């Protein structure tokens, strides 16, 4: 355990170095019912640096399975640009990904 702690803190990429992949951090924003499902309004996630939107969505739906029920009507944005939840667009370090489910009201 002591050796792992030293490697983790000495390596700027953190735990991802030990797991054998390069990583990046992305910011995730949850709105309305997505926020209720996630239990938070925002978080920072570390993902593989080769992750695209489809791969990211798989990770999110494994972590928050109920979000999958909203995907057909959800709007997803990356850095304030709308994208499809099925997009193969690559994510980049620091991207801000927002989950915007349908809302009702007047």
């Amino acid at each position: 355990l002591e050796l792992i702690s030293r490697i983790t803190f000495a390596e700027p990429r953190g735990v991802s170095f030990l797991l054998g992949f390069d990583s990046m951090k992305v910011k995730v924003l949850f709105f309305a019912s997505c926020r209720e499902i996630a239990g938070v309004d925002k978080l920072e996630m570390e993902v593989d640096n080769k992750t695209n939107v489809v791969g990211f969505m798989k990770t999110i739906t494994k972590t928050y399975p109920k979000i999958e029920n909203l995907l057909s009507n959800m709007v997803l944005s990356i850095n304030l640009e709308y994208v499809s939840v099925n997009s193969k667009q690559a994510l980049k370090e620091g991207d801000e990904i927002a989950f915007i489910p349908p809302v009702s009201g007047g």
Side-chain angles (χ1 to χ4, degrees):
L1 183 61
E2 183 180 329
L3 176 62
I4 291 174
S5 295
R6 278 190 271 140
I7 292 172
T8 300
F9 291 115
E11 175 57 47
R13 292 173 288 178
V15 174
S16 62
F17 172 75
L18 295 174
L19 298 176
F21 66 87
D22 289 325
S23 68
M24 62 183 168
K25 290 184 180 178
V26 295
K27 297 172 191 164
V28 185
L29 305 175
F30 297 104
F31 293 95
S33 55
C34 287
R35 179 177 47 228
E36 292 172 19
I37 291 169
V40 296
D41 59 349
K42 61 184 171 184
L43 57 86
E44 191 172 76
M45 288 183 69
E46 191 170 60
V47 296
D48 186 299
N49 69 353
K50 293 182 175 102
T51 300
N52 62 19
V53 173
V54 171
F56 180 75
M57 294 306 295
K58 287 179 184 177
T59 300
I60 285 292
T61 56
K62 282 181 187 173
T63 306
Y64 305 105
K66 290 182 180 180
I67 285 180
E68 192 164 9
N69 299 332
L70 304 174
L71 292 182
S72 62
N73 297 314
M74 182 183 305
V75 175
L76 189 71
S77 78
I78 299 177
N79 302 323
L80 304 177
E81 298 281 330
Y82 293 124
V83 298
S84 165
V85 295
N86 298 313
S87 172
K88 300 218 184 210
Q89 175 181 330
L91 298 180
K92 297 182 294 303
E93 176 77 32
D95 276 352
E96 182 178 82
I97 304 157
F99 286 78
I100 309 166
V103 294
S104 62

